[in-house]
Amino acid sequence: MDCQKFQEYLYLFLDREIDENLKLEIEKHLQKCPVCSLELEKERNFGHVLKTHLIKDKAPFALRETVVEQLERSKRKFSWRHIFVRQLAPSFAVLVIVVAVFLNLWPPSRDNTFPVFSEAVENHLEYLRGIYPLEFQTDDIKEALAWFRGKTDFAVTPPHINLSKVHLVGGRLVHLKDKKSAYFLLEKDGYKISAFYTDLHDVSQPKASAKSGVKPFGMRLVKTEKGYHTIYCFHPEDGTACILVSDMPLEELEKLIV
Amino acid sequence: MGTISMFRLFKNEESKEPFEENLLEHLDSLYNFAYRLTRNREEAEDIVQEASLRGFKSYHKFAEGTNFKAWMFTIVRNVFINEYRKKSREPIKVNYEEAESFINLPEFTGFEEELFSEMLQQSLDQLPEELRSTLMLFYVEELPYKEIAEIMKCPIGTVMSRLFMARQCMKKNLIRLAKKEH
């Protein structure tokens, strides 16, 4: 170890950050070099001066109090948030996902998943408003059936209504439950009757329920909305359904059904 | 979070010293450090309050067995840097090269004790933040290089060079102040 090397390690030695081997070498050098010893002494004194004269201010009492209060408040707040975020939130998220999946997969019990009643009424109203013009006009059922031939995926048969007691006006193709359906417009004593004839074999069938307002009507189902009665008649043998919509009194309408 | 990790979390936190106890034990040091950083007592108090809250919220990240004081110093310095540094009256950067020429100095004798302390504080306040913090952490808090490096987020070599510069600057400032007094 020489004086130049000592200068290099002076502070490491002074600050007790030097490794043992170098420390021994420095100590040996200091024993025989008064210049470096003096230099070390001077630096040591300076360090001592800094240590003793750099005032360590005490934290004001008010700060101590504020910090304690603040921590107490945070503890109360934090403990709830902590419990929720760390413990409950993941479980809550899983629960939400499970419920969401469950609701999506569970067979719906609500009738509005089969809104054939509402849809039929809407179609009936749209005809009345002139939105759907008739595509053919005839009072001859044979002509009407001939018009539908080839236009639907199923064989259109006369609507289940006593055609001798009503007047056939005409008809057109409509979509009911996204299926191409035959639409007949009939009249009786100034009342307009819409008759939809369609194939609903692959659609879940509506059921009578108080919640949906669908009531049993003999072998059929009926629902009244917006002042219009909708009678639903399903034929399980061929999967076709006939839906009648009218504001005619229900008893009179019933008499017309065959 | 599974039951086991939940258990671990609670166990971990229960086995540590309560945060509040640790904090109050070192509050003077934290305040002193904050004050040296800002040179403003109100701001120092605000920094300590903010750092206390941040420390409390992230206490779960504090590794048991490590130096709590050093950990809190890091938070105090982060708060200072992020929120106060811009508005603090940062001194004009010291010319290190100039300071390096002041290696051989006369001995410090003949000052009155009180006056000397005051001058020393003034000299400290004139140092750039990195040098001031390093010097404080070493001489006042008596922390080893390694912990200072962690607090200052710099290599140990940088701590050594900053400490060297800080010492030279302090000497230089003291001489200048002493000359003014006489």
Side-chain angles (χ1 to χ4, degrees):
Chain A
M1 173 79 58
D2 55 22
C3 294
Q4 201 185 341
K5 212 76 175 142
F6 170 76
Q7 280 295 333
E8 211 177 291
Y9 295 118
L10 168 62
Y11 287 110
L12 279 177
F13 180 78
L14 200 62
D15 297 345
R16 297 192 182 121
E17 294 272 355
I18 201 150
D19 71 56
E20 278 303 306
N21 292 338
L22 274 170
K23 192 182 159 195
L24 288 174
E25 277 187 50
I26 289 169
E27 281 168 351
K28 264 189 214 167
H29 175 73
L30 286 170
Q31 278 170 8
K32 58 184 182 185
C33 179
V35 179
C36 287
S37 292
L38 189 67
E39 174 75 15
L40 177 73
E41 203 47 39
K42 212 160 79 176
E43 285 299 332
R44 188 171 276 151
N45 284 341
F46 178 66
H48 182 71
V49 164
L50 290 181
K51 245 176 216 178
T52 48
H53 287 86
L54 284 176
I55 302 159
K56 189 163 179 173
D57 289 284
K58 274 187 107 48
F61 182 70
L63 172 65
R64 202 166 276 271
E65 269 189 330
T66 311
V67 164
V68 171
E69 268 173 37
Q70 187 182 258
L71 284 182
E72 284 304 318
R73 261 200 316 273
S74 300
K75 257 187 227 168
R76 287 195 293 272
K77 232 193 278 174
F78 192 64
S79 59
W80 281 108
R81 202 167 43 195
H82 187 260
I83 288 168
F84 182 76
V85 171
R86 291 191 164 268
Q87 330 290 320
L88 299 181
S91 319
F92 186 70
V94 169
L95 186 72
V96 166
I97 292 165
V98 167
V99 168
V101 168
F102 181 78
L103 286 178
N104 271 324
L105 297 180
W106 193 252
S109 58
R110 290 167 299 172
D111 186 64
N112 63 6
T113 56
F114 187 84
V116 71
F117 293 95
S118 310
E119 225 177 297
V121 170
E122 281 308 310
N123 271 305
H124 179 72
L125 290 174
E126 276 167 5
Y127 162 72
L128 295 180
R129 287 179 200 133
I131 294 170
Y132 290 147
L134 295 177
E135 289 174 327
F136 67 89
Q137 292 190 3
T138 176
D139 57 359
D140 184 351
I141 187 68
K142 281 181 188 162
E143 263 184 48
L145 294 178
W147 187 87
F148 284 116
R149 201 167 298 138
K151 292 189 174 75
T152 57
D153 301 333
F154 57 94
V156 178
T157 55
H160 299 231
I161 196 156
N162 190 340
L163 290 168
S164 60
K165 291 185 177 173
V166 295
H167 172 67
L168 175 66
V169 182
R172 58 166 291 143
L173 280 172
V174 294
H175 280 86
L176 200 62
K177 292 294 287 176
D178 289 330
K179 283 167 180 287
K180 217 182 259 182
S181 312
Y183 171 74
F184 300 92
L185 177 66
L186 309 142
E187 274 179 357
K188 165 78 177 165
D189 303 331
Y191 291 109
K192 295 210 162 36
I193 305 165
S194 287
F196 301 88
Y197 194 82
T198 189
D199 177 15
L200 295 179
H201 77 276
D202 53 355
V203 173
S204 62
Q205 293 302 305
K207 285 174 189 158
S209 86
K211 196 178 166 190
S212 62
V214 177
K215 293 173 192 164
F217 189 65
M219 294 292 288
R220 305 173 183 92
L221 292 171
V222 68
K223 186 179 178 184
T224 303
E225 57 183 314
K226 295 179 184 172
Y228 293 89
H229 309 293
T230 307
I231 298 170
Y232 179 84
C233 180
F234 184 66
H235 310 287
E237 62 279 2
D238 61 0
T240 58
C242 182
I243 299 136
L244 302 173
V245 183
S246 179
D247 55 349
M248 179 187 280
L250 195 56
E251 302 77 40
E252 286 185 38
L253 191 61
E254 189 188 4
K255 286 177 198 161
L256 299 173
I257 295 169
V258 290
Chain B
M1 183 178 285
T3 317
I4 294 169
S5 50
M6 268 167 69
F7 174 72
R8 277 191 196 134
L9 184 87
F10 279 121
K11 190 171 173 269
N12 218 359
E13 296 199 348
E14 276 169 12
S15 63
K16 275 187 207 169
E17 283 279 310
F19 175 79
E20 197 178 315
E21 243 171 66
N22 263 333
L23 179 79
L24 293 178
E25 191 187 328
H26 300 296
L27 200 69
D28 286 342
S29 292
L30 296 172
Y31 170 74
N32 197 46
F33 185 49
Y35 176 53
R36 286 297 149 210
L37 289 172
T38 57
R39 287 158 296 177
N40 177 303
R41 295 195 185 274
E42 274 179 27
E43 283 181 1
E45 288 190 35
D46 290 346
I47 287 182
V48 172
Q49 282 184 38
E50 177 61 28
S52 304
L53 267 184
R54 288 195 195 176
F56 173 69
K57 284 175 185 166
S58 53
Y59 193 43
H60 60 279
K61 290 181 193 161
F62 169 67
E64 204 187 342
T66 57
N67 190 338
F68 178 82
K69 192 162 86 170
W71 183 69
M72 277 306 297
F73 275 136
T74 313
I75 298 176
V76 165
R77 190 163 179 268
N78 285 346
V79 173
F80 167 72
I81 288 172
N82 296 338
E83 288 169 33
Y84 289 86
R85 196 177 198 170
K86 280 175 201 158
K87 63 175 179 178
S88 76
R89 296 155 301 281
E90 194 62 18
I92 302 153
K93 293 281 177 192
V94 169
N95 184 341
Y96 292 171
E97 282 173 22
E98 197 186 327
E100 275 178 56
S101 61
F102 285 79
I103 301 291
N104 300 310
L105 293 161
E107 286 189 36
F108 301 103
T109 53
F111 294 126
E112 279 180 34
E113 188 83 6
E114 205 180 316
L115 178 67
F116 183 72
S117 280
E118 204 182 294
M119 284 170 63
L120 208 64
Q121 297 295 337
Q122 278 180 37
S123 309
L124 180 71
D125 287 350
Q126 285 172 20
L127 297 185
E129 188 273 315
E130 284 91 353
L131 303 192
R132 196 163 70 236
S133 297
T134 309
L135 202 77
M136 282 292 292
L137 294 171
F138 185 76
Y139 282 114
V140 180
E141 300 304 333
E142 299 183 356
L143 295 175
Y145 288 179
K146 190 173 174 290
E147 283 181 7
I148 298 174
E150 279 169 18
I151 294 167
M152 303 296 291
K153 294 191 180 77
C154 67
I156 288 178
T158 307
V159 172
M160 286 160 66
S161 59
R162 281 181 185 171
L163 209 48
F164 178 80
M165 289 299 171
R167 281 163 165 148
Q168 306 318 313
C169 291
M170 284 296 279
K171 286 173 192 170
K172 186 186 166 189
N173 286 345
L174 280 170
I175 291 165
R176 193 188 290 145
L177 286 167
K179 279 179 184 165
K180 260 193 212 169
E181 293 293 323
H182 284 279

